[in-house]
Amino acid sequence: MQSPFHQTVIERLQRQILDLEGYKTKPSKQQKKLGFAHIEKHFPNQVFPTGTIHEFVSTQPEHTACTSAFIMALLAKLNTHQGIYVWIGKQRQLFPPGLNYFGIPAHQIIFINLVKPKDILWATEEALKCQSLSGVISELEAITFAQSQRLQLTVEKSKVTGFILRTQTGPIHATACAARWQISPTASLNLTQLPGVGFANWQVELLKVRNGSTASFNISWHNGQFHTIENLVPQPFLPHAIGS
Amino acid sequence: MNKRYVSIWFPHLVTDQMAIRQKELDGQAYALVAHERNKQIIIGVSYQAKKLGLKPNMPLADARIILPSLQAFKYQPLRQQKLLTMLAEWFIRYSPNIALAPPDGLSLEVSGCTHLWKGEKPYLQEISSRLKKAGYHFKIAMADTLGAAWAITHHGENQIIKSGEQLQALFPLPAKALRLEENTLQRLAKLGFHTIDSFIHIAPSTLRRRFGEEINLRIGQVLGEQPEAFEAISEPHPYQERLHCLEPIQTAKGIEIAIQTLLENLCILLQKDDVGFRNATLKCYRLDGKLQQISIGTNQASIHIKHLFKLFELKIKQIEPDLGIELFIMEATKVETLPKQQEALWQIQAQSNLSEVSELLDRISIKAGKNAIRRYLPQEHHWPEHSIKAVTDPQQLPETEWQAHKLRPTVLLNQPEPIQVSAPIPDYPPMNFTYKGQLHRITKADGPERIEREWWLNEGKHRDYYYVEDEKGQRYWLFRLGHYHSKIAAQWFIHGFFA
C-alpha cells in the first residue's frame, strides 16, 4: 500500500505530466464545465476537455441519431450562453425541430453541406480556427492520424471544441483525439409506469480517453438534464420539456 | 407593357455649348471648321448662322461670301462625343435607360417613367424647359418606337405620337426619315417616292426586290414590328479603382500585389462613405485585349482588407494571365452600410465576434458556393417536410417559435422509405416491421399522431405517425399512409430516427 505522502507526490507528478501534454489546469472560472460529474470523472483533472477534438463512432442511422443528440446535449450543457454552432457534413439528415429538445435552438446551427471529403476536412479546419464558434461538428467517413493531428493543433490554438462523427465501418485506427465515444440507444426510461415510449436513454461508451480511463455507462436525457440510472427517482408525469 | 421612347436631337450641339461657355458668342453667327482635302469645310454652324443660310458641308470660303463676318473655330471631333455622353448622364434623372444616338442625338426609353411627372406632356415640357433654360436648341419627340421618335425629331415637329399612331404620323415625312442608306434613298427618289406614305403600303417582297432587305427592316423598326437594339449607357461606377502596370503581370504573386494595392485604395474610399463590400469584381485586361474577371461576395458588408484579400486569393487560380495583364480594375459592385460592431445576432455574448463567423462563411461559400451553407428556421406547418425553412442569410431570426410540444425525430430521412409491417387494425401501433431486411420487434409505442396534408399546398393522403421502440432500444418514427381500406393493403413507411 502507498502511504498518503506517496499518493500526494504521485498526484503532483501526474498533474505536471498533464500540464506538459497540453492539459492546462486552468482557473475553474474560465473552464467551461459540464456540470455532470458522472461523465467528468473519467477525464483528467475531473474536467470535461474543451478546446480539443472528440471523436464519435457511429455506423448505423439509429446510432447517428443518438450521437447527434448526445453532442447537442453536451454542447447545451457546456455553453450557458447562446452560441453559434457549425455542422459540416455531406448531406443534412438531421431534422432541426428534433434537435431543440436537446437544448440548442436549431436556428443557432449553421449547416454546411459539402460533397468531397477533402472539402469537409478543409471546412472543418477553417471552422475550428474561428474562435467565435461555440462548437464544430463534422461528419467524416474516415480520418487519418495525420489529419486528426492537424485538427488537434488547430484547436489547441483557437480553443474551439470540435466533434468528429465517424461513420466508417470496419476497423478503427488511432487518431489524435482527446476521447473516442460510442453512443448506442438502449430501452427508453419509463418513470411513470405509463404505457408508451419514455425518455431517451443511451449506453455511452468511452472507448479511449487520453490520460483518462475508459468507461461504459448508461445515461438518460430529460427535462433538459443528463440523468444516470442510479440517481433516478420515479417522478410524476411531465410533458417533454425543452432544455433550459 | 407598351414601350415608349423619346428622341432628342441637338442640331447645334457643340456650337450651343460654346455659347453657353462664352457669353459673348450668344446670338452670334459662327461655325466649326475642319480641314478636309485642302479645303476648309464647315462641320457645324450656330443657330444664328443657320438662320442666315449657312449649312454644314459648305466650304468656309463660300460661307464667307454670304456672311463676311462669320467667325470660324476649329472643329474637335472628340468634344461632341464627350458632350453627348455628359448630357446622357445628366438625363439619367429622367429615365434609367439612356442611349446615345451619335453624332448629335439621345434616345431615352421612358416606359414607366412619365407618370412620375404626371403624364407624357408635362414630362416633355419639363425636359424642354430645362434644356431651353440651359441654352440648347433641340427637337424632341415621343413615340412607341425608337425609329419613329427619331424620324419625328429629325424631320417633323416637336410632338408626342400617341401609342399605335406612328404610321399616320410618318406619312408626310420624307423617305430620309427612315434612316436608309444613301443609295437606297437615291433609288427611291429616282422612282418618285419622296414621302413615306408613297411607298409604305407596297408589299414587302416587292420592296425587297427593288431596294434590298434594309428598307423592310427599317420600316419594321419604325412600326415596332422588328426589334431594335437599345444600348443604354451605364452609370459611372462610384467605387472603382484602377491599376496600370508598367510591365505586364504574369505571376500569381504579381496579381496578389495588385489585389492588395487595389483593396487598400478602395477600402479607404468605402470607409469614407461608411459602407463596405458585399460584392466585388476584379477585371484583368490582358495584353491581347481579352478580359479575365473574378468576383467575390460576402455575407456581411466588410472593409477588412485581410479577409477580402483571402477571398480573392481563393480565386486567383481562375485568372489566366497568358501574355500578361496590363490593367487591373476593381469594382465594388454592391456595397452596404457597415454593420455596427456591437450589433450581435442571436444575443450572443460579447466574446463571440459575429464578423469572424461571417468571414468564415464567406471563405466557405467562395469555395463551395452559397447553396452549401444553410440555416433552418421554423415554419408554421405541421407537415414535417414543410415545418422548416432553409435560409442563407446568417442573420435572419425565426419568425415563429420552434414547436416544442410535439416530439420530432433527430434524424429525418429525405424520402420516407417503405417498410413491411404487421399491425393489428384499426389504430394500434405495429407489432413489428422489416426495414432493410431486418426485423424489428416493437416493445413500446406512442401514437398515432395524425398529420394531415395542407390541401392548399399539396394533395394526397394523410399520415398517421407512430413513435416506436424496438427490443434493442432503438427508436423510430413510422407512419401509415391514409386510412385502412378493405381491398388495398395499408402502406407503411419509416421516416426518421429518434435519439
Side-chain angles (χ1 to χ4, degrees):
Chain A
M1 270 306 283
Q2 291 167 334
S3 69
F5 171 71
H6 280 135
Q7 217 148 22
T8 46
V9 169
I10 287 169
E11 264 177 32
R12 208 180 63 226
L13 286 173
Q14 267 179 340
R15 217 168 296 140
Q16 279 178 1
I17 293 170
L18 287 179
D19 271 359
L20 292 173
E21 284 186 336
Y23 282 88
K24 295 274 185 279
T25 42
K26 276 177 263 170
S28 54
K29 264 187 192 169
Q30 270 196 358
Q31 180 74 32
K32 287 176 179 173
K33 274 199 167 170
L34 198 58
F36 188 56
H38 202 73
I39 297 177
E40 283 174 327
K41 72 178 179 202
H42 302 290
F43 291 97
N45 294 329
Q46 273 80 54
V47 176
F48 180 84
T50 54
T52 52
I53 307 274
H54 291 263
E55 183 188 352
F56 287 81
V57 183
S58 117
T59 49
Q60 296 171 34
E62 293 92 342
H63 293 212
T64 309
C66 293
T67 313
S68 311
F70 182 74
I71 295 174
M72 282 291 124
L74 275 182
L75 283 171
K77 288 279 122 194
L78 284 172
N79 298 294
T80 43
H81 68 276
Q82 293 187 302
I84 312 173
Y85 306 89
V86 168
W87 192 296
I88 304 163
K90 251 189 187 165
Q91 195 190 21
R92 178 192 61 91
Q93 287 229 309
L94 287 185
F95 189 49
L99 298 178
N100 293 306
Y101 178 65
F102 298 97
I104 291 179
H107 61 263
Q108 290 180 22
I109 308 168
I110 299 166
F111 290 92
I112 296 168
N113 298 325
L114 298 164
V115 183
K116 289 185 213 148
K118 217 173 81 183
D119 287 342
I120 296 181
L121 265 173
W122 172 80
T124 308
E125 196 186 324
E126 290 290 312
L128 287 172
K129 278 182 199 164
C130 183
Q131 293 178 8
S132 308
L133 294 176
S134 303
V136 176
I137 304 110
S138 175
E139 284 178 53
L140 277 169
E141 263 171 38
I143 185 166
T144 64
F145 184 70
Q147 287 164 347
S148 70
Q149 252 180 333
R150 202 183 147 118
L151 296 182
Q152 178 65 33
L153 286 174
T154 314
V155 291
E156 271 173 28
K157 217 185 269 173
S158 67
K159 301 282 171 231
V160 177
T161 315
F163 297 88
I164 288 176
L165 210 70
R166 275 173 68 170
T167 51
Q168 183 193 41
T169 49
I172 303 163
H173 48 76
T175 56
C177 300
R180 177 180 295 153
W181 306 69
Q182 187 164 18
I183 319 290
S184 39
T186 54
S188 61
L189 279 183
N190 236 334
L191 303 174
T192 48
Q193 310 306 317
L194 283 172
V197 186
F199 297 121
N201 196 15
W202 308 306
Q203 187 65 32
V204 178
E205 276 166 281
L206 270 165
L207 300 175
K208 206 189 78 180
V209 182
R210 232 199 304 162
N211 302 311
S213 54
T214 59
S216 176
F217 46 89
N218 203 300
I219 254 184
S220 161
W221 173 270
H222 51 88
N223 296 340
Q225 295 293 341
F226 283 119
H227 295 272
T228 51
I229 301 291
E230 293 90 66
N231 70 4
L232 274 178
V233 270
Q235 41 183 274
F237 176 73
L238 283 171
H240 297 298
I242 198 162
S244 56
Chain B
M1 201 184 87
N2 226 343
K3 294 215 166 167
R4 296 291 276 166
Y5 293 93
V6 165
S7 175
I8 307 170
W9 179 39
F10 300 95
H12 312 286
L13 183 62
V14 181
T15 48
D16 280 348
Q17 200 231 2
M18 286 167 72
I20 294 166
R21 287 266 174 89
Q22 296 161 268
K23 280 282 167 251
E24 65 271 17
L25 284 177
D26 201 11
Q28 300 279 320
Y30 52 96
L32 297 172
V33 175
H35 200 81
E36 248 177 45
R37 284 186 231 147
N38 291 331
K39 255 195 271 181
Q40 300 271 66
I41 301 281
I42 291 180
I43 302 287
V45 292
S46 71
Y47 184 68
Q48 200 61 33
K50 195 190 170 192
K51 264 188 163 172
L52 294 168
L54 303 185
K55 279 181 201 147
N57 293 330
M58 219 182 216
L60 181 64
D62 294 2
R64 285 255 158 88
I65 293 168
I66 300 171
L67 185 73
S69 65
L70 181 74
Q71 301 177 60
F73 296 95
K74 201 173 167 225
Y75 170 70
Q76 293 157 311
L78 282 180
R79 187 169 175 183
Q80 184 157 353
Q81 171 95 35
K82 235 166 115 184
L83 187 58
L84 201 60
T85 317
M86 207 185 71
L87 271 171
E89 280 165 14
W90 182 82
F91 265 103
I92 282 179
R93 74 190 62 190
Y94 293 112
S95 158
N97 295 324
I98 315 283
L100 302 182
D104 48 12
L106 289 177
S107 312
L108 284 68
E109 207 217 299
V110 298
S111 340
C113 298
T114 51
H115 73 277
L116 299 170
W117 279 265
K118 299 191 174 65
E120 293 179 344
K121 215 171 168 190
Y123 182 79
L124 284 196
Q125 272 169 359
E126 157 81 13
I127 295 178
S128 304
S129 68
R130 288 294 282 268
L131 285 175
K132 226 177 255 167
K133 226 176 172 181
Y136 286 103
H137 295 94
F138 61 92
K139 282 168 92 180
I140 188 164
M142 188 187 292
D144 273 0
T145 61
L146 266 181
W150 189 92
I152 303 291
T153 45
H154 284 72
H155 301 282
E157 290 304 316
N158 287 355
Q159 59 178 310
I160 297 169
I161 309 294
K162 281 196 194 118
S163 195
E165 288 179 10
Q166 57 267 42
L167 187 60
Q168 287 85 339
L170 288 172
F171 278 160
L173 300 186
K176 259 201 287 192
L178 285 178
R179 296 174 292 176
L180 294 169
E181 271 171 25
E182 194 51 43
N183 55 7
T184 316
L185 286 175
Q186 278 173 7
R187 238 177 293 163
L188 281 167
K190 216 180 264 174
L191 295 171
F193 294 124
H194 296 296
T195 51
I196 291 176
D197 64 337
S198 58
F199 61 86
I200 201 157
H201 292 302
I202 297 174
S205 55
T206 318
L207 281 177
R208 182 168 60 236
R209 202 165 62 235
R210 288 274 182 173
F211 308 105
E213 186 53 40
E214 189 210 1
I215 190 164
N216 284 330
L217 177 74
R218 286 306 192 186
I219 291 173
Q221 284 179 345
V222 159
L223 299 180
E225 290 155 0
Q226 296 265 1
E228 183 164 1
F230 186 86
E231 260 181 69
I233 58 151
S234 56
E235 260 180 286
H237 215 280
Y239 299 115
Q240 192 191 56
E241 275 292 322
R242 312 166 137 253
L243 186 71
H244 289 276
C245 306
L246 289 178
E247 293 218 342
I249 302 284
Q250 277 173 307
T251 59
K253 188 77 204 157
I255 297 173
E256 278 174 26
I257 294 168
I259 291 173
Q260 189 79 35
T261 320
L262 286 169
L263 271 177
E264 277 165 19
N265 294 341
L266 209 50
C267 281
I268 293 169
L269 208 68
L270 291 175
Q271 196 168 19
K272 268 187 206 151
D273 294 356
D274 202 26
V275 291
F277 283 102
R278 281 300 305 274
N279 287 317
T281 306
L282 178 76
K283 290 178 181 163
C284 310
Y285 290 85
R286 290 201 321 215
L287 265 190
D288 57 2
K290 291 228 171 86
L291 173 70
Q292 298 274 306
Q293 72 179 57
I294 53 175
S295 302
I296 58 151
T298 64
N299 279 308
Q300 192 189 25
S302 166
I303 49 164
H304 187 184
I305 296 174
K306 218 167 133 194
H307 168 58
L308 293 165
F309 178 73
K310 255 192 193 155
L311 299 183
F312 272 116
E313 202 183 13
L314 291 167
K315 288 209 163 177
I316 287 179
K317 267 188 278 173
Q318 296 174 10
I319 302 175
E320 292 168 24
D322 204 47
L323 288 171
I325 298 161
E326 53 177 358
L327 172 66
F328 292 94
I329 295 180
M330 190 181 285
E331 280 176 4
T333 41
K334 189 178 167 196
V335 293
E336 247 173 40
T337 320
L338 280 173
K340 289 184 189 70
Q341 280 306 310
Q342 285 77 26
E343 224 167 48
L345 90 148
W346 321 326
Q347 308 96 45
I348 302 158
Q349 267 192 353
Q351 58 159 353
S352 287
N353 188 348
L354 173 64
S355 64
E356 207 187 351
V357 178
S358 55
E359 281 171 17
L360 164 77
L361 297 183
D362 288 344
R363 282 200 294 279
I364 291 171
S365 67
I366 287 278
K367 193 150 183 174
K370 233 181 156 64
N371 287 338
I373 299 171
R374 283 265 188 276
R375 279 176 59 234
Y376 294 91
L377 301 183
Q379 272 201 124
E380 286 185 333
H381 292 291
H382 289 297
W383 198 250
E385 285 90 335
H386 295 161
S387 63
I388 50 170
K389 171 172 75 172
V391 292
T392 44
D393 178 6
Q395 311 219 24
Q396 203 173 329
L397 287 167
E399 287 155 8
T400 64
E401 295 273 303
W402 287 102
Q403 294 301 312
H405 60 279
K406 293 268 167 57
L407 268 183
R408 289 288 174 261
T410 319
V411 169
L412 190 80
L413 294 168
N414 290 337
Q415 280 288 325
E417 288 174 31
I419 47 172
Q420 281 76 52
V421 158
S422 44
I425 43 177
D427 270 337
Y428 289 100
M431 294 180 294
N432 58 48
F433 69 95
T434 314
Y435 173 55
K436 287 193 173 160
Q438 191 152 9
L439 182 73
H440 300 268
R441 248 180 269 282
I442 289 166
T443 52
K444 295 174 191 166
D446 271 335
E449 178 193 347
R450 176 165 295 180
I451 302 183
E452 293 275 359
R453 268 178 217 269
E454 289 145 312
W455 52 263
W456 59 96
L457 292 176
N458 59 359
E459 283 191 1
K461 292 175 182 166
H462 65 258
R463 294 172 178 173
D464 282 337
Y465 277 97
Y466 292 89
Y467 173 20
V468 301
E469 183 179 292
D470 71 358
E471 78 275 18
K472 283 186 207 152
Q474 303 177 128
R475 289 168 279 274
Y476 302 91
W477 212 30
L478 313 178
F479 71 84
R480 191 191 62 236
L481 198 65
H483 293 288
Y484 278 108
H485 196 278
S486 55
K487 284 178 191 141
I488 310 157
Q491 281 176 295
W492 285 81
F493 295 87
I494 180 167
H495 203 184
F497 303 94
F498 278 92

